[in-house]
Amino acid sequence: MNVNQHTPMASPYGQPQPGYGQPGYAPLDGGYPAPYAPYNGPASAYQPGAPPQGPARGPLTSGATPVSAPQPYNQYNHSQGDMQNGPPPMTQAPPRPAASQQYNQGAVNLSGPQPSYPQHYGPQASMQQVANQMTGMQITSGPPTPAGPRYAPPHSSQPPVNTAYSAAPPHSYTQAPPPASSPPTQPPPPSGPAASQQYYGGPPPPSQQPFNSSLPPTSQQQFASPAPLPPSSQQTFPHSSYSGPAPTPGQAPAPSASQPQQSFPPTQPPFSSAPPPASHPAFVSGPPPPAQNSFPPRAAPPSSQPGSFPPPGPSPISMPSGQYPGPMPPQQQPPPSQPSPYHSGPPPPRAQMPPTSMSQSNHLPPGPQGPPGPLGPMQQPPSQPGMQGGYPPQQNGAFGQVRGPQPGYAGPYPGQPNYGAPATAPAPAPAAQKRLDPDSIPSPIQVIEDDKVKTTEPFTTGVRGQAPPLVTTNFQVKDQGNASPRFVRCTAYNMPCTADMAKQSQVPLAAVIKPLATLPPDETPPYLVDHGEGGPIRCNRCKAYMCPYMQFIEGGRRFQCGFCSCVTEVPPHYFQHLDHTGKRVDCYDRPELSLGSYEFMATVDYCKNNKIPQPPAFIFLIDVSYNAVKSGMVNIVCQELKTLLDYLPRENPEMDSVVRVGFVTYNKVLHFYNVKASLAQPQMLVVSDVSDMFVPLLDGFLVNVNESRLVIESLLDQIPEMFAETRETETVFGPVIQAGLEALKAADCSGKLFVFHSSLPIAEAPGKLKNREDKKLIGTDKEKSLFQPQVAFYNTLAKECVAQGCCVDLFLFPNQYVDVATLGVVPVSTGGSIYKYTYFQAQSDTERFLNDLRRDVQKLVGFDAVMRVRTSTGIRATDFFGSFFMSNTTDVELAGLDCDKAVTVEFKHDDKLSEETGALMQCAVLYTSCSGQRRLRVHNMAVNCCSQLADLYRNCETDTIINFLSKYAFRGLLSNPTKAVRDTLINQCAQILACYRKNCASPSSAGQLILPECMKLLPVYLNCVLKSDVLMPGADVSLDDRAYLRQLISCMDVAESHVFFYPRLLPLTKFESGSLPVAVRDSEERLSKGGLYILETGLHLFLWVGASAQQELLVSIFGTPSFSQIDPSLTSLPVLDNPFSQRLREIIESFRAQRSRYMKLMVVKQEDKSELIFRHFLVEDKSASGGASYVDFLCHMHKEIRQLLS
């Protein structure tokens, strides 16, 4: 593919996998052009045109459905909607393949029929196919080619010489340099822009075509194909059949004129001209080129280059086509008559494809896909079948063998003139090939490390639409007019201009907002602004608050709103003159005119009932039933509270906290305590009528800690003694929350309830529950009922709590089922948190519980909060995810909002956006601070708008997309079967990638998996979501655990969801002081028997010890030289006086400090039974519960994408 097209190039992932295509790494630049045209989605629900029917949401992706129409979850089904197959027709004829170029046979062809995967994903291609596919698939992730979407090579008329990759044996192409004119590595698209599209059948839409220049980098770095494919060979086959990158000679020239082409030097690698980002290695099977960027060297010589395909030896990436790595059902293979989905020709044996070839294949357009444009000579050439037809046999896969059209692709995509031509018979399946090489597919670690290297300067927020560094990178933020990414992260920093474009791409348009996020010490917290008695200056019409997007006019006497364009008078006290540029002269002195985040002092008009709020109160409600006392929980809580009450939240560290406290204990009845300062001893009042809860005392229940300290300490000493011999096992729960709520109402204040609870509330009382845990429902359509509350009582109670500003934090200590799905309703609806300590043991769990409790009590929190997100004309916030309550469609109500809570907001179009003005959003949160002050925190964000899909794919953030998709899916469990939710996720992801492939990537063989550079990790992360305990539980995962995780993830920010789904695994070898070792990928293959590794998920922390770890290491960490003497029950490391021990303990503490929950350390010895738990978090491997490995899932995604495009 042309160099410029990096994006189109298949990623170097290149080798097609039988089942999964390999993704290529996309260049970091972040956009990847998608090689596939957007496809509207296979699922019916996704049909492009009609909004899906069904429940209200679209496919998981927010973009999928038309903006306005909600898409039903059902989208889960995979039915195929129409996808646009082809790009818009191209105007130029595709060049014809050069005759000379033939693909080497080394390349694997995927054409053989591929069996479907056995995986549950769906039919799978045979391994071989997969392999071929992979081979063919290069996962390219290069930057988009300059030329533009169409990455047609320059039009040279001659076919590249066999630039084809012939040279590279592994690939089919020869390595010879491409014809001079043609782009070196990539075959030129048949007709230029069209070419790329050709792939799909039609030329890409013009706008897209020019991807080159604009293409987002694609992820394809071709792995291997340093050498350009010869266009000719490509061309040689009919489109459909050829998978090779090279267009026919004619084709090569075909690139549209507009595309400049890209003629790259012949030597250049096929990848897009833009080198793939350095960081990503091409997906070659071989090791990625050192500089990913350079993927194979651009000009890479043919095979010799690293980039280039390896010689025909087997390429790791390729999978045996015959079998899918995963189990694939054989029948899935495409029928012989159709071209095999992967390659047209039989795939060469896997072995043959060199990893590199993958990349090459990337370039080639898949046979069936051929350039979409007119087939032009290219297509015309021999018949598709086999492609061998008149061309030299090429492999579709671009690997050497020729492949027939893939089954399923009948020749060129629709849109191509030949589209629809009968498919050739599939080539016989090649011999099984080797499994795809994990090193040749996109690596999360590589992407994370590349981003760290790239981020050297502070991130300044003044540039609209600039994507921030990844959440895994440490960076400093300088607020210059847009909110810091610590407060707001978006899925896309280039919003599509129209609803149709959003629907076509299926990329969710959402923001993850963490309004009260804590900032690092070197960043300034938001300034507090006081606009006086009149309150904050706002737009008269839409009520947006004064911000940098307001334009002052008429000498500064009026301002025009950036959100609704309404003109509002400037109050006299706020007037200021304008300078020669139209800015107020005091612009940089006022935070609200120059910064993205700030706070306003709210006036009494912003207070409930128009009166200044009372300071909040904290009420501690402790379960004193038999289980709670016996576990030691009651004693631990009471001892800790004696000291913890000195650390109640306060804004000024010098002042005492104004938060008042109260205490209640309960089992089947409730005990209230009068701890008035004037009493010598606390007094207990018992309320046994739990059906009609009331607070038996007003004065003396909520008190100031310092004034009543002696009475409180006496009470906390007495509670464990009073209930030490209790025999009461039953508990209530509803009345406990009602008691706290009534106490806050009586005191006329907001506040937080800390409930310490141990068992299912089965005692007679409102909110009584029964044990409904039924393993037989798992996996059935009734499973969703287990995630829904079993009684409506708690929903009503939650609503009352929110109205009062009563937030509930629940600490659970269960020994059996407690129905977290129901008990969690009130905490989740009030902005509270749930902490769960299953089988709590004082000895090993106290440290975790107390650290969680301390942080929960001390952290800054706002009460009685209301959040509203305003947007500029053209989009609106339509959906919200998190821990909150909504009584209308716009106001997110939070009884409590702390610094760890994030709210995810989805946007839909209600009109067109313009590229000039971009899109604006303003999140305003009105809350009562812990000192009792009413405030407004405002976060502003401006993003760019684009009319080209390539621009959208160039500026997305995969971590944020995964955060959104996981929340969308987990909420979907309440109303859909788990399998439907999983299928919807896969379908939406396939649509996102297929749209890119069809509309943004250069044409290449269908065997190549082409991923946008900034989304090359979408498949691996999505697989982690699909394999999570919530969506695919192992046999040992309880229903309570699943409900707990489902609720927990609903309010996670992007950093937390990232490490939760893709844990951090660090090798503990030599430490450099101050820097952490580079992480390794989450796979057992990466663990060395002689090493130690630390793995963190945000909830768990493991120290894995290899069976043959060096004795000196064991001595320095555990104090013993013997592996057998290490105690696996350790929850903290011994404090030893040596640098290694000190550094390891510092690392563990720094990990804990970054997370909102304390991670208990678990020591895992190799071959020990606890290793099963540890392995569960090695998410790139196949999971015990049936989840696919990364390699298998990638193949599966490739197959899904091909189906959408065919």
Side-chain angles (χ1 to χ4, degrees):
M1 92 191 334
N2 298 314
V3 167
N4 10 309
Q5 308 247 199
H6 52 291
T7 191
M9 305 303 274
S11 296
Y13 276 46
Q15 304 343 134
Q17 302 242 210
Y20 293 61
Q22 302 222 231
Y25 288 135
L28 283 184
D29 35 322
Y32 319 51
Y36 297 70
Y39 81 101
N40 293 327
S44 51
Y46 293 99
Q47 303 229 238
Q53 3 21 58
R57 282 204 65 144
L60 286 177
T61 16
S62 63
T65 34
V67 170
S68 60
Q71 298 221 253
Y73 234 105
N74 339 271
Q75 275 130 212
Y76 294 116
N77 354 254
H78 276 77
S79 45
Q80 312 212 189
D82 26 316
M83 345 188 173
Q84 305 179 194
N85 256 294
M90 20 193 232
T91 50
Q92 329 192 196
R96 79 169 77 252
S100 64
Q101 302 223 179
Q102 35 162 128
Y103 290 91
N104 296 325
Q105 87 13 246
V108 169
N109 309 291
L110 297 176
S111 56
Q114 326 229 253
S116 47
Y117 305 122
Q119 284 197 168
H120 42 305
Y121 290 113
Q124 331 217 226
S126 60
M127 289 264 324
Q128 164 128 39
Q129 309 194 277
V130 174
N132 302 168
Q133 233 175 335
M134 300 293 263
T135 313
M137 113 191 272
Q138 309 197 192
I139 293 185
T140 352
S141 103
T145 43
R150 25 182 58 205
Y151 79 116
H155 312 70
S156 53
S157 52
Q158 54 194 116
V161 166
N162 78 192
T163 262
Y165 298 85
S166 54
H171 307 91
S172 1
Y173 326 133
T174 58
Q175 289 255 224
S181 61
S182 62
T185 80
Q186 337 197 189
S191 68
S196 55
Q197 320 258 192
Q198 288 167 184
Y199 208 112
Y200 309 105
S207 59
Q208 296 172 155
Q209 304 188 330
F211 273 125
N212 290 189
S213 56
S214 60
L215 256 37
T218 130
S219 159
Q220 19 191 125
Q221 304 173 83
Q222 319 240 211
F223 264 12
S225 49
L229 308 152
S232 60
S233 61
Q234 249 186 264
Q235 316 176 156
T236 322
F237 318 89
H239 271 103
S240 58
S241 58
Y242 77 120
S243 56
T248 46
Q251 302 179 200
S256 49
S258 65
Q259 336 214 197
Q261 205 54 90
Q262 351 227 314
S263 33
F264 315 151
T267 44
Q268 312 195 219
F271 333 106
S272 42
S273 58
S279 63
H280 316 89
F283 279 139
V284 233
S285 356
Q292 250 80 66
N293 260 29
S294 44
F295 254 172
R298 274 185 134 133
S303 35
S304 57
Q305 332 222 227
S308 39
F309 307 108
S315 70
I317 282 190
S318 38
M319 311 183 92
S321 113
Q323 33 197 123
Y324 180 25
M328 322 197 200
Q331 78 262 64
Q332 310 235 177
Q333 314 196 228
S337 61
Q338 343 184 185
S340 90
Y342 291 116
H343 302 63
S344 325
R350 205 242 203 116
Q352 316 188 168
M353 325 163 119
T356 326
S357 56
M358 244 185 144
S359 31
Q360 286 207 226
S361 5
N362 277 355
H363 314 358
L364 312 162
Q369 322 185 165
L375 287 177
M378 206 174 190
Q379 304 218 287
Q380 336 189 135
S383 51
Q384 277 309 196
M387 275 192 128
Q388 316 182 176
Y391 298 83
Q394 309 202 248
Q395 234 232 261
N396 284 198
F399 281 168
Q401 314 192 94
V402 177
R403 337 146 178 265
Q406 337 250 238
Y409 292 58
Y413 287 172
Q416 314 204 224
N418 295 2
Y419 183 64
T424 2
Q433 308 199 328
K434 294 178 7 192
R435 173 172 179 270
L436 184 59
D437 176 12
D439 286 324
S440 61
I441 57 183
S443 161
I445 305 305
Q446 186 72 55
V447 173
I448 289 167
E449 292 303 317
D450 290 342
D451 191 71
K452 289 178 180 173
V453 170
K454 196 174 70 173
T455 307
T456 52
E457 301 291 312
F459 177 72
T460 54
T461 69
V463 183
R464 184 179 82 191
Q466 183 180 18
L470 299 178
V471 288
T472 44
T473 299
N474 281 322
F475 59 98
Q476 185 184 5
V477 179
K478 294 201 171 161
D479 187 341
Q480 294 185 354
N482 282 311
S484 161
R486 304 193 203 287
F487 294 123
V488 184
R489 276 190 179 262
C490 301
T491 55
Y493 289 86
N494 272 351
M495 284 255 187
C497 283
T498 64
D500 287 346
M501 191 173 157
K503 180 177 170 188
Q504 187 180 11
S505 73
Q506 289 287 318
V507 174
L509 304 179
V512 178
I513 304 172
K514 197 175 179 184
L516 301 186
T518 6
L519 299 181
D522 59 350
E523 293 178 25
T524 316
Y527 290 100
L528 185 58
V529 179
D530 189 351
H531 278 178
E533 295 179 7
I537 311 296
R538 307 176 68 173
C539 167
N540 275 346
R541 182 198 289 159
C542 70
K543 303 298 182 195
Y545 294 90
M546 180 54 64
C547 68
Y549 316 139
M550 302 300 190
Q551 180 69 42
F552 288 86
I553 55 176
E554 297 176 25
R557 290 188 292 277
R558 306 171 80 192
F559 68 87
Q560 182 171 30
C561 177
F563 296 90
C564 70
S565 302
C566 176
V567 174
T568 301
E569 296 286 336
V570 174
H573 72 88
Y574 195 68
F575 173 80
Q576 183 54 270
H577 295 285
L578 307 186
D579 64 14
H580 63 286
T581 65
K583 280 191 167 179
R584 284 173 53 125
V585 296
D586 64 352
C587 173
Y588 293 103
D589 299 329
R590 289 188 173 273
E592 73 275 20
L593 299 181
S594 56
L595 300 179
S597 301
Y598 42 87
E599 292 199 313
F600 287 120
M601 290 285 292
T603 57
V604 73
D605 299 336
Y606 291 86
C607 300
K608 194 153 52 175
N609 305 326
N610 291 336
K611 61 183 186 188
I612 299 295
Q614 295 288 325
F618 280 5
I619 303 176
F620 298 89
L621 304 110
I622 306 166
D623 175 352
V624 289
S625 65
Y626 178 81
N627 283 338
V629 173
K630 181 92 169 149
S631 69
M633 180 271 282
V634 174
N635 191 46
I636 292 165
V637 171
C638 293
Q639 290 309 310
E640 178 64 22
L641 287 179
K642 288 196 263 186
T643 51
L644 191 53
L645 295 178
D646 288 330
Y647 297 96
L648 294 174
R650 65 206 73 199
E651 305 214 40
N652 181 347
E654 313 300 313
M655 308 279 291
D656 284 336
S657 174
V658 295
V659 175
R660 290 167 295 163
V661 298
F663 302 89
V664 173
T665 56
Y666 67 92
N667 39 46
K668 273 205 310 198
V669 297
L670 276 74
H671 321 106
F672 292 79
Y673 297 92
N674 182 346
V675 284
K676 201 169 163 181
S678 57
L679 296 175
Q681 283 293 322
Q683 296 175 347
M684 178 165 85
L685 293 91
V686 180
V687 176
S688 52
D689 181 6
V690 291
S691 61
D692 184 17
M693 187 45 60
F694 65 97
V695 179
L697 73 167
L698 290 176
D699 188 28
F701 179 64
L702 292 179
V703 298
N704 176 286
V705 174
N706 285 337
E707 293 172 7
S708 299
R709 181 177 301 280
L710 294 175
V711 189
I712 290 172
E713 290 195 353
S714 173
L715 169 66
L716 294 173
D717 283 333
Q718 291 176 40
I719 287 175
E721 297 169 10
M722 276 193 290
F723 298 100
E725 302 303 319
T726 184
R727 285 283 168 265
E728 183 53 73
T729 57
E730 294 189 353
T731 58
V732 295
F733 185 71
V736 178
I737 293 173
Q738 287 176 319
L741 172 61
E742 293 303 322
L744 294 178
K745 281 184 181 174
D748 193 25
C749 68
S750 54
K752 186 180 263 198
L753 310 185
F754 295 84
V755 183
F756 303 90
H757 189 78
S758 67
S759 54
L760 192 70
I762 54 172
E764 277 305 325
K768 170 186 174 179
L769 301 178
K770 62 178 192 293
N771 187 338
R772 58 171 178 164
E773 187 175 28
D774 186 355
K775 295 267 189 195
K776 292 196 289 292
L777 295 182
I778 305 300
T780 69
D781 286 354
K782 292 185 178 173
E783 182 178 4
K784 59 183 182 242
S785 66
L786 301 177
F787 290 106
Q788 299 163 356
Q790 59 170 288
V791 294
F793 170 83
Y794 292 101
N795 298 79
T796 310
L797 181 56
K799 189 173 179 177
E800 294 173 23
C801 288
V802 172
Q804 182 57 40
C806 168
C807 175
V808 179
D809 279 355
L810 177 60
F811 292 80
L812 286 170
F813 303 85
N815 288 329
Q816 68 276 320
Y817 179 72
V818 291
D819 201 351
V820 175
T822 303
L823 298 189
V825 168
V826 177
V828 168
S829 304
T830 58
S833 305
I834 304 172
Y835 296 86
K836 185 164 169 285
Y837 309 91
T838 310
Y839 304 120
F840 179 80
Q841 291 178 321
Q843 182 185 355
S844 58
D845 296 313
T846 299
E847 185 184 21
R848 176 165 79 105
F849 164 52
L850 292 183
N851 277 282
D852 283 342
L853 177 59
R854 287 168 194 153
R855 179 181 165 95
D856 197 53
V857 168
Q858 297 174 47
K859 66 186 173 190
L860 284 176
V861 58
F863 297 94
D864 236 340
V866 181
M867 176 174 120
R868 179 172 283 192
V869 178
R870 293 178 173 84
T871 53
S872 54
T873 311
I875 55 167
R876 59 194 168 87
T878 56
D879 210 347
F880 301 86
F881 302 83
S883 292
F884 52 75
F885 180 79
M886 292 187 78
S887 53
N888 57 34
T889 58
T890 56
D891 295 338
V892 174
E893 299 173 52
L894 302 119
L897 173 62
D898 62 52
C899 57
D900 298 323
K901 293 288 184 299
V903 176
T904 297
V905 185
E906 184 182 9
F907 301 99
K908 292 278 179 75
H909 288 76
D910 54 11
D911 202 347
K912 287 190 175 156
L913 294 168
S914 88
E915 296 188 66
E916 291 72 47
T917 56
L920 311 177
M921 60 190 85
Q922 182 180 79
C923 166
V925 182
L926 176 65
Y927 71 98
T928 301
S929 71
C930 50
S931 58
Q933 208 174 46
R934 199 70 174 151
R935 295 190 185 161
L936 268 158
R937 177 164 291 201
V938 179
H939 296 297
N940 301 289
M941 182 61 122
V943 298
N944 286 333
C945 294
C946 58
S947 56
Q948 301 293 316
L949 282 165
D951 292 325
L952 165 64
Y953 282 102
R954 188 180 289 108
N955 216 3
C956 291
E957 195 182 40
T958 300
D959 294 327
T960 311
I961 290 173
I962 289 293
N963 178 282
F964 171 83
L965 291 177
S966 62
K967 292 176 181 180
Y968 181 66
F970 290 2
R971 185 177 68 182
L973 287 175
L974 295 172
S975 50
N976 299 276
T978 308
K979 182 178 186 310
V981 174
R982 292 166 47 80
D983 290 347
T984 300
L985 273 179
I986 293 170
N987 187 33
Q988 181 165 0
C989 179
Q991 295 200 50
I992 292 171
L993 299 176
C995 173
Y996 172 83
R997 172 77 183 253
K998 178 175 174 186
N999 297 285
C1000 312
S1002 335
S1004 59
S1005 117
Q1008 303 176 228
L1009 169 56
I1010 302 183
L1011 303 173
E1013 175 56 31
C1014 64
M1015 287 190 194
K1016 61 189 180 198
L1017 299 181
L1018 188 60
V1020 62
Y1021 290 163
L1022 183 81
N1023 190 36
C1024 296
V1025 175
L1026 294 169
K1027 288 162 66 170
S1028 66
D1029 288 334
V1030 181
L1031 291 178
M1032 185 180 278
D1036 55 339
V1037 179
S1038 71
L1039 187 60
D1040 274 345
D1041 286 330
R1042 295 175 68 196
Y1044 166 70
L1045 291 174
R1046 195 188 75 77
Q1047 293 164 344
L1048 183 62
I1049 287 157
S1050 71
C1051 54
M1052 276 187 178
D1053 68 4
V1054 181
E1056 290 173 317
S1057 63
H1058 176 272
V1059 78
F1060 177 83
F1061 289 118
Y1062 194 90
R1064 176 156 62 156
L1065 180 62
L1066 295 187
L1068 302 180
T1069 47
K1070 302 185 179 63
F1071 286 137
E1072 330 259 316
S1073 56
S1075 68
L1076 288 173
V1078 174
V1080 295
R1081 292 168 64 172
D1082 293 341
S1083 170
E1084 200 167 4
E1085 294 176 8
R1086 314 283 167 177
L1087 301 178
S1088 152
K1089 255 187 144 165
L1092 280 83
Y1093 296 81
I1094 191 159
L1095 182 140
E1096 71 141 341
T1097 71
L1099 298 180
H1100 307 90
L1101 193 58
F1102 298 93
L1103 178 58
W1104 184 89
V1105 185
S1108 46
Q1110 301 166 2
Q1111 291 190 356
E1112 53 182 331
L1113 262 182
L1114 300 182
V1115 170
S1116 56
I1117 295 175
F1118 301 103
T1120 171
S1122 164
F1123 175 79
S1124 59
Q1125 288 175 7
I1126 297 169
D1127 180 3
S1129 64
L1130 282 178
T1131 55
S1132 59
L1133 296 177
V1135 178
L1136 303 175
D1137 187 15
N1138 66 71
F1140 199 95
S1141 173
Q1142 290 166 356
R1143 180 72 185 119
L1144 178 55
R1145 283 179 284 116
E1146 283 170 15
I1147 289 176
I1148 289 173
E1149 285 316 308
S1150 72
F1151 281 10
R1152 286 171 169 160
Q1154 292 170 33
R1155 308 296 171 205
S1156 59
R1157 307 208 166 207
Y1158 186 85
M1159 298 180 289
K1160 172 178 156 183
L1161 179 68
M1162 182 169 175
V1163 175
V1164 177
K1165 294 164 70 175
Q1166 189 176 359
E1167 310 292 332
D1168 207 25
K1169 59 181 185 296
S1170 60
E1171 202 181 20
L1172 288 173
I1173 304 170
F1174 173 79
R1175 276 196 201 143
H1176 180 72
F1177 298 102
L1178 297 179
V1179 294
E1180 288 196 21
D1181 296 339
K1182 197 168 171 187
S1183 71
S1185 55
S1189 67
Y1190 175 19
V1191 167
D1192 291 355
F1193 184 70
L1194 196 58
C1195 296
H1196 177 70
M1197 281 309 302
H1198 187 201
K1199 190 179 116 246
E1200 293 283 325
I1201 291 166
R1202 293 178 59 155
Q1203 284 181 345
L1204 290 176
L1205 293 172
S1206 58

